[in-house]
Amino acid sequence: MEYKNILSVKQTEEKILLLLRDIDEFPSERKISENLGVSRSVIRAAIHHLESENELVRIDGKLKTNKAISISMLGSGSMSQELQMDNKNSEVIQFSKDIVNTSNKKIRDFFEVNKNPKLIKLSRMRRNEGIPISYEITYMNYNRFPKLLEVELENGSLYKTLEKYYSIKVAYGREEISCVKADKKKANILGISIGSPLFKVSSYNYDADDNPVEHTDQFLSGSKFQYILHATNIFDYKEDLD
C-alpha cells in the first residue's frame, strides 16, 4: 500500500499559490519542483487537488490561477457594489441607450405595460482591470425615468444615477441564474470563443413602494465569476408530517 505525505502536499499547495500570485504563466512541474525543493510526485498531487478545488483552472489547455470574482447569490447590491466589496478595479463601457418597444411578455408583465410600451434599453460592457467580464442589457420604463436618456451614468453606476436624479433606491428584487453558450456577438464583446459557457443572470428589481425599477440580463464569463451561497443551520429543519 502506498502512503502519501498529506502535510507535504498541503504545504506545497500553499507555496504554489504564493508562487503564482504575481505571475500569469504557469511554470513546468520540473521548474516548480526545483523552486520549492520537493518531488514532482508531490507537485503533481498538489496541482491535482488545487484543480479539484477550483484554485487552478485550465484555459486553452494551460494551467492558470483562478482569479474568478466571487458574487454572493443572496446579495442585494448592484454589480458595482459587489465588485467594490471584492476590491476589484472595474469600469463600464456604454454601447447604446435607446427607446424601444419589446414583445417579450415577461418584461412587459414586469413593467405592467401593455400596448406600445416605451422602455429605455441600455447596453453595456463591464471590464475588470482592463479585461471584459460581463455584457449587460438593462430595461427601464421611459415614462418614469426620461432623464436617463440625457445624463451620463454616474461612475458607471445605474443605481447611483437613479438615486441622484429621482431619489429612488432599489429595495429588493429577484434573480434567475442559468447557463448559456456565448453566441458570436457575446463572444466578440467578452473576448472569448463562441460556445464558451456564460452565466446568464436575469434580475427584476423594485423600489420600497413595490414599483418595478429595472430589469437586467447579465452575461458573465463562466471562467471569471463564481457564485457563492452562504447558509447557516441548513440541517435545522423538520419535515411536514401529515
Side-chain angles (χ1 to χ4, degrees):
M1 181 180 295
E2 180 183 358
Y3 292 91
K4 293 181 179 179
N5 187 337
I6 303 300
L7 179 59
S8 176
V9 172
K10 187 62 181 176
Q11 290 174 338
T12 301
E13 290 175 17
E14 295 172 356
K15 291 178 180 179
I16 287 174
L17 292 177
L18 285 173
L19 180 67
L20 299 176
R21 184 171 56 185
D22 299 320
I23 62 176
D24 292 324
E25 195 67 29
F26 199 90
S28 66
E29 290 182 4
R30 181 180 59 80
K31 287 184 178 180
I32 297 177
S33 175
E34 293 173 354
N35 190 300
L36 300 183
V38 297
S39 70
R40 291 180 66 176
S41 63
V42 172
I43 295 295
R44 199 169 295 115
I47 290 174
H48 178 75
H49 187 254
L50 288 172
E51 280 192 89
S52 69
E53 294 292 317
N54 207 35
E55 295 283 357
L56 296 178
V57 293
R58 290 188 185 271
I59 301 177
D60 297 328
K62 296 181 180 180
L63 273 173
K64 295 180 179 290
T65 53
N66 188 357
K67 298 180 180 179
I69 299 168
S70 297
I71 300 293
S72 172
M73 291 183 69
L74 299 180
S76 58
S78 66
M79 175 64 78
S80 298
Q81 292 171 327
E82 291 274 8
L83 290 173
Q84 288 173 3
M85 290 174 63
D86 208 22
N87 297 316
K88 300 297 180 181
N89 181 21
S90 67
E91 60 178 333
V92 177
I93 309 299
Q94 180 175 300
F95 292 142
S96 62
K97 189 161 52 173
D98 307 295
I99 298 178
V100 299
N101 294 326
T102 179
S103 59
N104 187 307
K105 186 177 184 302
K106 198 166 187 179
I107 295 178
R108 293 161 67 103
D109 288 346
F110 169 68
F111 286 108
E112 300 173 349
V113 292
N114 294 313
K115 294 182 179 180
N116 299 321
K118 274 189 169 183
L119 298 178
I120 297 174
K121 179 182 178 181
L122 178 63
S123 175
R124 301 183 294 171
M125 180 259 284
R126 195 179 299 268
R127 294 194 300 202
N128 177 60
E129 298 177 355
I131 299 174
I133 58 173
S134 75
Y135 171 52
E136 306 169 7
I137 303 172
T138 298
Y139 294 92
M140 292 163 290
N141 193 324
Y142 170 75
N143 292 326
R144 189 179 183 194
F145 305 118
K147 191 178 290 291
L148 291 182
L149 280 180
E150 305 168 8
V151 302
E152 291 297 324
L153 294 179
E154 185 176 329
N155 299 322
S157 173
L158 174 61
Y159 286 6
K160 285 184 179 179
T161 304
L162 287 173
E163 187 173 355
K164 178 178 180 179
Y165 289 96
Y166 291 97
S167 299
I168 287 177
K169 290 184 179 181
V170 170
Y172 69 96
R174 75 176 192 273
E175 286 188 343
E176 301 169 356
I177 302 177
S178 58
C179 293
V180 298
K181 292 182 179 181
D183 58 19
K184 184 176 181 180
K185 179 178 181 179
K186 297 179 184 65
N188 182 56
I189 290 173
L190 296 173
I192 57 179
S193 302
I194 296 175
S196 296
L198 300 173
F199 287 115
K200 179 184 178 182
V201 183
S202 298
S203 59
Y204 301 83
N205 297 305
Y206 301 80
D207 63 20
D209 295 320
D210 303 322
N211 298 310
V213 176
E214 58 93 10
H215 160 67
T216 296
D217 286 324
Q218 291 180 313
F219 298 91
L220 314 174
S221 179
S223 63
K224 299 180 177 67
F225 281 86
Q226 58 184 359
Y227 272 79
I228 298 175
L229 174 63
H230 294 283
T232 58
N233 299 325
I234 61 174
F235 296 111
D236 184 18
Y237 70 93
K238 294 181 180 179
E239 294 184 355
D240 293 330
L241 299 177
D242 295 327

